[in-house]
Amino acid sequence: MPYQLTLLKTMNPGIDLQGSFVQVLTDLGLPVGVAKVVWIPLPMLVVLVGATVAVLVTTWLERKISAAAQQRIGPEYAGPLGMLIPVADGLKLLFKEDIIPMKADRWLFTLGPAVVVIPVFLSFLIVPFGHNLQITDLGIGIFLWIALSSIAPIGLLMAGYSSNNKYSLLGGLRAAAQSISYEIPLALSVLAIVMMSNSLSTVDIVEQQAGFGILGWNIWRQPIGFLIFWIAALAECERLPFDLPEAEEELVAGYQTEYAGMKFGLFYLGSYVNLVLSALLFAVLYLGGWEFLVPVGAIADWIGVSETTAWLQVLTGALGIVMTVFKAYLLIFLAILLRWTLPRVRIDQLLDLGWKFLLPISLVNLLLTAALKLTFPVAFGG
Amino acid sequence: MFVLSGYEYLLGFLIICGLVPVLALSVSSLVRPHRKGAERRTTYESGMEPIGGAWIQFNIRYYMFALVFVIFDVETVFLYPWAVSFSQLGLLAFVEALVFIAILVIALVYAWRKGALEWS
């Protein structure tokens, strides 16, 4: 099996942007080493800017879809269809005065938002948009995301405790309790996927779903797993119906109460980047990642076009990015609709759901996957 | 096989991501107004004068959840290598994992019965 995997990787038919870029620079007279170093930050910056733009689009969509759900028009005047409203929001936060309460701990108060934002952005390292269209294919892949997602509660606790405000303290504790409660079902549902693809790498997880178009996606083989993942991901992102940490009727704004200006902006950015990230990873884990509804490779073979043809590589690369982002935005749309459909749960209901329902169910799902894999090794990635 | 390749990208991306909050806050500090005043820096408590601080002894009911969390998080970490190499291990590994999970389910039932998972 490992031999087959390495063979698969060497036969990787994806577009080789790094190779082409290094080739162009060496043709211009640069040494190969320098060209490779010049390449390294480029995909990172593209992903970072892409994630920020995705957040702007998501906040605009959230307003427009919320307005449609309530039969309003929503943002209308800033740019066409109000599309410039997120930019205006961002600029407003940039120019806002920064207030640190007298009784607060200055350092922890400033460090809190940074600790929340950095791991979320860092997790984009493992999101694949196509063959080779990813910053790097790490061996630990999806496990890196599980590990990084447990750093954010520390930042929330920092923010809640350092504010020296009762609302913030309660909000911070609630946020930490909520994210640790839903982390275990989340990790266990990812574990079932990992078991089917025999690898932690996100590329291998998508590869394992490829070949049969929409029928090969994990959503059919993990019907319980994807529901657990979606519920837990919504709770991790503090989206309604799980937005208890900032329940405005009870806690003003939770751990964000004392924050103003750009520090508040960082929390806001972090929560939306987290939503985009969770939707992207849902698409990768359960909806076949960059795969199209029908297998493109098989059709190309059938027509008689080689996988190494330049125009086909560009086409599949572009299609991969479009499909991944499209699937992710479908899920974000679902999350926004859920926001206006379900009422907020109480804290005891939230913890009951996490510990007494999702945790046992996800353990059963894992063992069920293992048993099915032993019985039908072909269908479950034997 | 565990190969430490690709981790230089992790380090590089960590540095670039770390620059995001630094840049955001420093650019903001250049353009935002700086005003002084003790009133504006008081703690918010719904418009009232704040009564006492929040750095006091308090009863956190979340502590029990945090303890149970540690047990199950470690369990999940132990299960990851098992899941990755499951196809080579076969039936025996399945039975062993079953025993391992059964022991932890007993722990969960114990915590449940003891009321560690109750909110009130």
Side-chain angles (χ1 to χ4, degrees), chain B residues 20-69:
Chain B
V20 171
V22 172
L23 273 180
L25 291 179
S26 51
V27 168
S28 169
S29 79
L30 289 178
V31 294
R32 72 187 175 214
H34 296 270
R35 298 201 185 91
K36 299 251 188 272
E39 281 293 297
R40 63 174 67 236
R41 294 184 64 210
T42 49
T43 305
Y44 175 78
E45 205 160 296
S46 306
M48 313 287 284
E49 287 277 315
I51 302 166
W55 295 342
I56 46 170
Q57 273 197 340
F58 56 92
N59 175 17
I60 31 172
R61 284 168 283 190
Y62 306 100
Y63 184 65
M64 281 296 176
F65 288 95
L67 276 182
V68 183
F69 164 74

Side-chain angles (χ1 to χ4, degrees), chain A residues 326-340:
Chain A
F326 174 73
K327 285 168 188 172
Y329 270 95
L330 212 61
L331 291 161
I332 290 173
F333 176 66
L334 190 68
I336 296 171
L337 277 192
L338 277 175
R339 177 180 177 164
W340 299 109

